[in-house]
Amino acid sequence: MNLQRADSDRLASWTEAELGLEGRVLEVVRAPHPVLGTAGESIDPTAAEWVRLAADLVATMRVSPGCVGLAAQQVGVAARIFCVDVSAHPKARTHHGTFVLCNAEVVEASRNDRAREGCMSVPDFTGDVKRASRLVLTGQLPGTGEQVTIATDAFEARALQHEMDHCEGLLFLDRVAGAHAVHPRQTYL
């Protein structure tokens, strides 16, 4: 079995139960809160404060309708940690279930596509953002600090890049081509 396949299996089997504590639901900050524009520092994924935040991010994501990812900046902390779960999203092709990554870095990105994105920290708007639709990245799992490499595509690749942008102090609004690519969020009754 190759390394990426082993890492993929590891992510698919990861659950927040490995963190050893129950997450708390935190308040999600909204633009123009200054922490959203603050690049996060690299963290020690084995430190208790980051394990706690990992559990809190997952708990907050789970209670937020339509949410497929959440970064530390969105709960008021400038750090390089986020969670993702696109498994229930209709646009997801490849997915690795629920997981949290620390200190993630893109290794390879290709096949740029433009698509609409939204964000809990920018609740009134969506935007057309060009992102890689094939992605390889590395990161560390909270608690153990295990280094994993993820190869993914389509919607999960987009979600990962969106959350990594948060960790760098960027919103999707920073990635749109101009005002013409920002749209009022649609609400459906």
Side-chain angles (χ1 to χ4, degrees):
M1 181 183 309
N2 72 27
L3 184 59
Q4 282 185 0
R5 179 70 185 160
D7 287 350
S8 182
D9 290 346
R10 174 64 179 112
L11 278 181
S13 69
W14 187 90
T15 70
E16 62 268 27
E18 290 184 34
L19 300 173
L21 48 97
E22 192 169 321
R24 305 164 298 182
V25 175
L26 303 177
E27 179 182 350
V28 175
V29 300
R30 295 180 175 189
H33 194 290
V35 74
L36 294 170
T38 305
E41 298 291 326
S42 292
I43 64 167
D44 173 358
T46 63
E49 68 184 298
W50 304 119
V51 173
R52 158 57 64 198
L53 183 60
D56 294 346
L57 287 170
V58 172
T60 305
M61 176 180 68
R62 288 196 190 283
V63 300
S64 305
C67 183
V68 296
L70 196 65
Q73 279 76 351
Q74 293 181 273
V75 295
V77 180
R80 295 183 60 211
I81 180 173
F82 62 84
C83 65
V84 167
D85 182 0
V86 302
S87 58
H89 197 280
K91 291 183 181 176
R93 286 199 308 241
T94 302
H95 66 82
H96 293 86
T98 302
F99 59 92
V100 178
L101 285 180
C102 306
N103 308 317
E105 294 183 13
V106 172
V107 174
E108 186 179 319
S110 62
R111 296 191 65 175
N112 288 335
D113 291 322
R114 187 176 318 279
R116 187 75 52 98
E117 291 184 19
C119 181
M120 290 178 56
S121 294
V122 186
D124 299 327
F125 297 97
T126 60
D128 300 325
V129 180
K130 191 173 187 178
R131 295 203 189 268
S133 62
R134 290 192 181 167
L135 187 69
V136 177
L137 61 89
T138 63
Q140 295 169 285
L141 296 176
T144 64
E146 285 173 79
Q147 184 83 22
V148 292
T149 300
I150 307 162
T152 192
D153 61 15
F155 190 73
E156 188 175 62
R158 178 169 294 278
L160 286 164
Q161 291 167 90
H162 180 105
E163 299 312 326
M164 290 176 71
D165 272 359
H166 277 302
C167 292
E168 296 302 323
L170 299 171
L171 295 171
F172 75 87
L173 295 173
D174 297 313
R175 297 275 188 201
V176 298
H180 67 281
V182 177
H183 312 280
R185 182 181 292 269
Q186 299 293 314
T187 54
Y188 302 97
L189 300 176

